[in-house]
Amino acid sequence: MRRRLTSAIRARWPSASDILDAFRAGLTLIDQMARRRQVGVVLLYHRIAHSPGDPSTELVPAVSALSFKGQMRWLRLLFRAVPAASFPAAVDQRRFWQRFPISVTFDDEVPEHCEWALPVLRETGVGATFFLTGLCVDAPRATWWELLQGAVNADLPLDPLVGPGDVHSRAERVKMMQPQERDGVVRALERMGARASNGALTRDQLIAIATEQEVGFHTRRHDFLPVLPSRDLTRALHEGRETLEDALGRRLDLIAYPHGGAGRREALAASRAGYRLGFTTSQKGWSPGMDPLRIGRIEVREEPPGSLARRLARVLVRTTEAVGGSHIEKSRAPSS
């Protein structure tokens, strides 16, 4: 309770340290904006809820709605928010003194997206891209990690099924399983009475998200792609995509790789499957010359807006230094 109250206070009334962080972020961004540097960042959110989650005990801890609102307001001021589909072009077209492009993305599909995220996005005027599995197109269904979380919360005997350890170590073992083995774990969890605590998104809610915001594909089964044989990798990139496209009435050519896992093999397979852009969970920015099918994303936690802004400013600087100035700092004069 104390931690949640503190989070709420910070979201409404920034502390002196948060204001100082925002000021420092602004100085860094102004310094970078004075140069013809083409770089941007993409943010990754999973859940927004009334209260912040606990990273020590939750697989997918939520960012509180108050913190999310504060983050969106500050980021809209300091950066240029663009949809993920337009992100590479916005980075490439950036000119002197223009704000750096930033895209806000969400993975998975949970009821909190409609309850908490969409209202904040409407209020702040920030658009986002939601990467969907389409798992609920036929009927609401819980994911394996939601069932595992429910089993841990209910203190069910999980050692014989997924081994000892905390929820994170157990989830890591399940993630690395082949699909058939993980399906067996899901059936066992359901027989044990495991239930997702937050419920599942409905088809109507899924369509509501796509009506307001840009959407992409997150694969139907959420397999960790690097462990799949080539044939299963191809299947994962296609399975359920057409069904989701039919339900939403639009083509899906953006993909967020499950668990953020994508190397060269996965990116090539995604290109062959017709995806134009691919997003990982690599904690880095992006600039022209980097692979558009492996765009990194910065995962956002429960943190004050100024702290987040400063963290993102550092990412921009590191990305610039990593790729060198040759292709991101051009010599032509700024456009008038």
Coordinates of all heavy atoms in Angstrom, one line a residue, residues 36 58 61 78 109 135 169 183 202 214-215 224 279 287 295 322:
R36 N 22.3 17.2 -37.2 CA 21.5 16.5 -38.2 C 21.6 15.0 -37.9 O 22.2 14.2 -38.7 CB 22.0 16.8 -39.6 CG 21.4 16.1 -40.7 CD 19.9 16.5 -40.8 NE 19.3 16.0 -42.1 CZ 18.8 14.7 -42.1 NH1 18.8 14.0 -41.1 NH2 18.3 14.3 -43.3
E58 N 5.6 -10.7 -10.2 CA 4.7 -10.8 -11.3 C 5.6 -10.9 -12.6 O 6.6 -10.2 -12.8 CB 3.9 -9.5 -11.4 CG 2.9 -9.4 -10.2 CD 2.1 -8.1 -10.4 OE1 1.6 -7.8 -11.5 OE2 1.9 -7.4 -9.3
P61 N 4.4 -7.1 -14.7 CA 4.0 -6.1 -13.8 C 3.4 -4.9 -14.6 O 4.0 -4.5 -15.6 CB 5.2 -5.7 -13.0 CG 6.4 -6.1 -13.9 CD 5.9 -7.3 -14.7
L78 N 8.7 16.4 -25.2 CA 10.1 16.3 -25.5 C 10.4 15.6 -26.9 O 11.5 15.8 -27.4 CB 10.8 15.5 -24.4 CG 10.8 16.2 -23.0 CD1 11.4 15.3 -22.0 CD2 11.6 17.5 -23.1
E109 N -2.5 -8.8 -25.6 CA -3.8 -8.1 -25.5 C -4.5 -8.5 -24.2 O -4.7 -9.7 -23.9 CB -4.7 -8.6 -26.7 CG -4.8 -10.0 -26.9 CD -4.6 -10.5 -28.3 OE1 -3.7 -9.9 -29.0 OE2 -5.3 -11.3 -28.8
L135 N -5.6 -14.2 -30.3 CA -6.0 -15.4 -29.5 C -7.5 -15.4 -29.2 O -8.1 -16.5 -29.0 CB -5.2 -15.5 -28.3 CG -5.1 -16.9 -27.5 CD1 -4.5 -18.0 -28.4 CD2 -4.3 -16.7 -26.2
S169 N 11.8 -17.8 -13.0 CA 12.6 -18.9 -13.5 C 11.7 -20.0 -14.1 O 12.1 -20.7 -15.0 CB 13.5 -19.5 -12.3 OG 12.6 -19.9 -11.2
D183 N 2.1 -26.9 -24.7 CA 0.7 -27.2 -24.7 C 0.3 -28.1 -23.6 O -0.7 -28.0 -23.0 CB 0.3 -27.7 -26.0 CG 0.3 -26.7 -27.1 OD1 0.4 -25.5 -26.8 OD2 0.2 -27.1 -28.3
T202 N -11.9 -9.7 -25.0 CA -13.0 -10.2 -25.8 C -12.8 -9.8 -27.3 O -12.0 -8.9 -27.6 CB -14.4 -9.7 -25.4 OG1 -14.4 -8.3 -25.6 CG2 -14.6 -10.1 -23.9
E214 N -3.3 2.0 -34.3 CA -2.6 1.1 -35.2 C -2.3 -0.2 -34.6 O -2.1 -0.3 -33.4 CB -1.3 1.8 -35.6 CG -0.4 1.0 -36.6 CD 0.8 1.8 -36.9 OE1 1.8 1.7 -36.1 OE2 0.8 2.5 -38.0
V215 N -2.4 -1.3 -35.4 CA -2.2 -2.6 -34.9 C -1.2 -3.4 -35.7 O -1.0 -3.1 -36.9 CB -3.5 -3.4 -34.8 CG1 -4.4 -2.8 -33.7 CG2 -4.2 -3.5 -36.1
F224 N 8.5 -18.8 -28.7 CA 9.8 -18.1 -28.7 C 10.5 -18.5 -30.0 O 11.0 -19.7 -30.1 CB 10.6 -18.5 -27.5 CG 12.0 -17.8 -27.4 CD1 12.0 -16.4 -27.5 CD2 13.1 -18.5 -27.1 CE1 13.3 -15.7 -27.4 CE2 14.3 -17.8 -27.0 CZ 14.4 -16.4 -27.2
F279 N 9.9 -5.8 -34.6 CA 10.3 -5.2 -33.4 C 10.7 -6.2 -32.3 O 10.0 -7.2 -32.1 CB 9.1 -4.3 -32.8 CG 8.8 -3.2 -33.8 CD1 7.9 -3.4 -34.8 CD2 9.3 -1.9 -33.6 CE1 7.6 -2.3 -35.7 CE2 9.0 -0.9 -34.4 CZ 8.1 -1.1 -35.5
S287 N 18.4 3.7 -36.1 CA 18.7 4.7 -37.1 C 18.8 4.1 -38.4 O 19.0 2.9 -38.5 CB 20.1 5.4 -36.7 OG 21.1 4.5 -36.9
I295 N 14.1 -3.8 -35.1 CA 14.1 -2.5 -34.4 C 13.9 -2.8 -32.9 O 13.0 -3.4 -32.4 CB 12.9 -1.7 -34.9 CG1 13.0 -1.4 -36.4 CG2 12.8 -0.3 -34.1 CD1 11.9 -0.6 -37.0
A322 N 27.1 4.4 -31.2 CA 27.3 3.0 -31.6 C 27.4 2.9 -33.1 O 28.2 2.1 -33.6 CB 26.2 2.1 -31.1

